[in-house]
Amino acid sequence: MRDEDFRVLFRVSRGLAMDIATELTLRLSRRRSSGLPVHAQVLSVIRFFATGSYQRCVGQDMTLSMGQPSVSRNIAAVTDAFMELFAERFIRFPATFEERQSIKNRFMEMRGFPGVVGCIDCTHIKIVKPTVREEMYFNNHKRCHSLNVQAICDHDLRILAANARYPGSVHDQFIRNASTAKDILQSWNDEGIVNTWLLGMLIMQMLVSMRD
């Protein structure tokens, strides 16, 4: 498969996908000789996340060819291994002065926004109707069952923090007020670290529109 075709199918480069598989080898290697090789497990999960398709459709893809139960097991195993190995390494809120200043400089250079260390917003991720406390996950605005997921990113779209613990009926403001990020910014303010902000995406869109 050409590199261009690989990126279209999996939304990442061939090199990145293989690097992920290599990093996860020790955690995902199957003892049985008939077990799926690590790269097949990883690619099926990347394909599932890239398309948002059904597990059966992912398994029946001509590049993968595996049953739905295998795809389901892969999703659980690869996601757990990925979070264990990569989450704290790559999803980090800026802790040092140098990290904060680097992000602030990028926002200032690209958009003219002073003091911004990240953009914060929530998005609804659809889920299958739960069997327990179903009403908590139903969002009247979206008319579906969902998780309300908060994410914070810098100007280069690197994720700095993510929170997926709240059901769809919970309001964005409640999630923000209960977030660790708010506590961190409050502690910075108490220490005299001022002019440091999280920019809400709706406000950012309005300011960009006004500037344009």
Side-chain angles (χ1 to χ4, degrees):
M1 184 184 298
R2 299 184 307 165
D3 290 343
E4 296 83 359
D5 296 332
F6 188 97
R7 186 180 288 275
V8 169
L9 280 176
F10 296 100
R11 311 290 177 85
V12 297
S13 69
R14 186 196 306 271
L16 177 57
M18 293 302 102
D19 286 345
I20 293 172
T22 300
E23 291 271 5
L24 297 181
T25 295
L26 291 179
R27 289 170 170 79
L28 297 176
S29 294
R30 302 282 175 84
R31 294 181 179 179
R32 294 182 305 165
S33 59
S34 59
L36 287 171
V38 171
H39 76 273
Q41 298 177 55
V42 171
L43 287 177
S44 68
V45 176
I46 293 177
R47 177 73 169 150
F48 176 76
F49 288 144
T51 62
S53 184
Y54 291 99
Q55 295 175 10
R56 188 180 302 279
C57 296
V58 169
Q60 292 176 344
D61 189 291
M62 64 178 181
T63 61
L64 297 170
S65 300
M66 64 184 69
Q68 180 274 326
S70 294
V71 176
S72 180
R73 288 192 295 270
N74 293 344
I75 292 171
V78 173
T79 301
D80 287 346
F82 193 94
M83 291 298 295
E84 180 183 338
L85 187 63
F86 294 125
E88 293 187 4
R89 189 192 308 181
F90 293 107
I91 302 178
R92 295 193 308 109
F93 206 67
T96 66
F97 171 81
E98 290 76 14
E99 290 173 339
R100 292 193 295 269
Q101 199 59 43
S102 176
I103 297 174
K104 287 181 181 181
N105 290 341
R106 286 287 291 159
F107 274 106
M108 191 63 187
E109 292 169 4
M110 302 301 293
R111 292 296 180 182
F113 296 155
V116 177
V117 293
C119 289
I120 182 171
D121 200 9
C122 288
T123 186
H124 284 268
I125 307 299
K126 290 183 67 175
I127 61 173
V128 176
K129 179 180 177 180
T131 57
V132 178
R133 302 190 69 184
E134 171 266 334
E135 73 283 355
M136 291 292 296
Y137 294 86
F138 188 77
N139 178 269
N140 287 318
H141 178 65
K142 299 291 185 179
R143 307 301 299 176
C144 68
H145 295 87
S146 67
L147 294 173
N148 195 2
V149 179
Q150 176 186 274
I152 301 173
C153 70
D154 67 9
H155 195 280
D156 297 307
L157 303 182
R158 292 178 300 182
I159 297 176
L160 306 177
N163 185 343
R165 68 168 57 96
Y166 290 101
S169 64
V170 177
H171 194 274
D172 293 5
Q173 185 174 352
F174 178 90
I175 299 175
R176 182 191 66 84
N177 289 338
S179 69
T180 303
K182 181 190 176 186
D183 295 338
I184 292 174
L185 263 70
Q186 183 63 57
S187 68
W188 289 348
N189 187 73
D190 295 342
E191 295 170 10
I193 304 173
V194 295
N195 298 323
T196 301
W197 319 97
L198 288 177
L199 189 62
M201 290 303 294
L202 178 59
I203 297 175
M204 182 178 181
Q205 291 167 4
M206 293 171 61
L207 290 173
V208 170
S209 177
M210 291 170 64
R211 286 174 180 270
D212 293 343

